[in-house]
Amino acid sequence: MEKGPKLYEGKAKILYETENPDLVIQYFKDDATAFNNQKRGTIINKGIVNNKVSTALFRKVEEAGVKTHLVERLNDREMLVKRLEILPLEVIVRNLVAGTMARRYGLEEGILLKQPVIEFSYKNDALGDPLITIAHVLALGWATKEEIDLLIDATEKVNATLTKFFDEKGFILVDFKLEFGRHKGEILLGDEICQDTMRLWEKETLKKMDKDRFRRDLGGVEDAYNEMCAIVCGTE
Ligand code: C5P
């Protein structure tokens, strides 16, 4: 499948049209940003790693009954996906307190939550992706009740599947972000699932294996990305 004109360029990925109007190519860049674009940098070969990890994790959640936009990984940096009308929402799942939740409520990182929290933010860089409630989403007509129910069910399946998968590999899935969109009227999981969008801690040492190494200047960023890629994808 050949790349057509550029459709959209985001912080970490570029979307290209293809000859098929229902399919687009998602190109993974090495660019990394944090804190709503205030910190910028490059993580060498991040695009290659994130493409591989996202493909493997999309396949895993598909096996658990979650429909995703993945068609196939085309090469190192390109994934063929179904074209989505993305909902303007970031769906964040938290199993332990970390990041924004720790800051927002003045809590220690690492507290195990009695039950997972699913929160929504309005995807808008200029506003800093503010927290939004389901009531707002329904009132604004951004999604229907049926779509929200489906999306929450899919999110819970993703959390259960990936929490178990990483636990068996010796890692804690602390939190992650998902994005959903409509394809021919059907809600599909889109975007990516990788170390840019998840917090993963090594169980024994609580070592951070994700983008927090970049955000917090912890060093060993590439090593952590490569190590998790080998664990998730094997030596394919
Ligand atoms: O920053 P915060 O604590 O809200 O992030 C929760 C989870 O969602 C983290 O795993 C983070 O990597 C992910 N996230 C993301 N994109 C955003 C905001 C959060 O992937 N814009």
Side-chain angles (χ1 to χ4, degrees):
M1 185 72 69
E2 287 294 305
K3 283 208 290 279
K6 191 193 281 190
L7 200 59
Y8 171 80
E9 177 153 6
K11 288 173 278 190
K13 297 189 295 309
I14 308 173
L15 289 183
Y16 294 94
E17 288 184 27
T18 67
E19 64 257 37
N20 183 337
D22 292 331
L23 300 178
V24 295
I25 288 174
Q26 180 161 258
Y27 176 96
F28 289 76
K29 303 193 279 187
D30 286 348
D31 300 352
T33 62
F35 311 118
N36 199 19
N37 263 329
Q38 287 172 46
K39 184 179 170 85
R40 289 162 189 267
T42 301
I43 300 173
I44 297 163
N45 290 340
K46 172 172 82 80
I48 298 173
V49 166
N50 285 357
N51 189 18
K52 266 189 159 175
V53 169
S54 289
T55 302
L57 296 182
F58 276 141
R59 290 207 179 114
K60 217 154 273 304
V61 302
E62 289 258 3
E63 282 167 21
V66 174
K67 292 187 173 175
T68 79
H69 69 159
L70 173 70
V71 178
E72 60 173 330
R73 188 170 72 102
L74 295 172
N75 53 47
D76 269 356
R77 288 181 183 272
E78 291 173 359
M79 181 193 281
L80 185 65
V81 296
K82 293 176 181 162
R83 190 174 189 148
L84 295 182
E85 180 199 337
I86 282 281
L87 301 178
L89 299 175
E90 298 196 333
V91 182
I92 291 173
V93 181
R94 301 183 189 276
N95 295 310
L96 276 75
V97 172
T100 304
M101 182 167 181
R103 267 200 310 281
R104 187 187 293 139
Y105 304 121
L107 299 169
E108 290 274 327
E109 286 205 313
I111 298 169
L112 177 65
L113 296 166
K114 292 192 191 305
Q115 57 188 47
V117 175
I118 299 180
E119 55 182 59
F120 296 83
S121 5
Y122 169 36
K123 202 170 140 61
N124 184 316
D125 280 345
L127 298 176
D129 300 334
L131 198 62
I132 190 168
T133 69
I134 292 174
H136 288 106
V137 175
L138 295 176
L140 291 164
W142 290 349
T144 64
K145 176 77 171 60
E146 291 67 33
E147 286 175 328
I148 294 286
D149 288 347
L150 209 144
L151 184 155
I152 290 175
D153 182 59
T155 299
E156 286 172 347
K157 283 192 180 126
V158 171
N159 191 31
T161 306
L162 297 189
T163 295
K164 181 166 181 287
F165 173 74
F166 284 112
D167 180 66
E168 286 168 0
K169 305 276 182 196
F171 297 88
I172 303 169
L173 179 59
V174 175
D175 56 29
F176 58 94
K177 186 247 339 185
L178 302 177
E179 293 186 27
F180 291 86
R182 297 184 192 96
H183 178 80
K184 300 182 174 175
E186 189 176 34
I187 293 283
L188 302 182
L189 176 61
D191 196 49
E192 59 184 337
I193 316 179
C194 59
Q195 285 139 288
D196 278 7
T197 63
M198 292 185 282
R199 285 196 173 91
L200 285 167
W201 296 351
E202 206 171 62
K203 252 197 268 182
E204 300 299 322
T205 60
L206 301 183
K207 181 180 173 193
K208 298 181 198 319
M209 301 299 293
D210 52 67
K211 197 168 142 187
D212 271 349
R213 302 206 72 81
F214 166 79
R215 292 189 189 100
R216 303 177 188 190
D217 296 319
L218 299 176
V221 185
E222 280 87 359
D223 286 349
Y225 273 71
N226 290 329
E227 194 182 323
M228 283 315 302
C229 183
I231 286 164
V232 170
C233 308
T235 47
E236 105 185 63

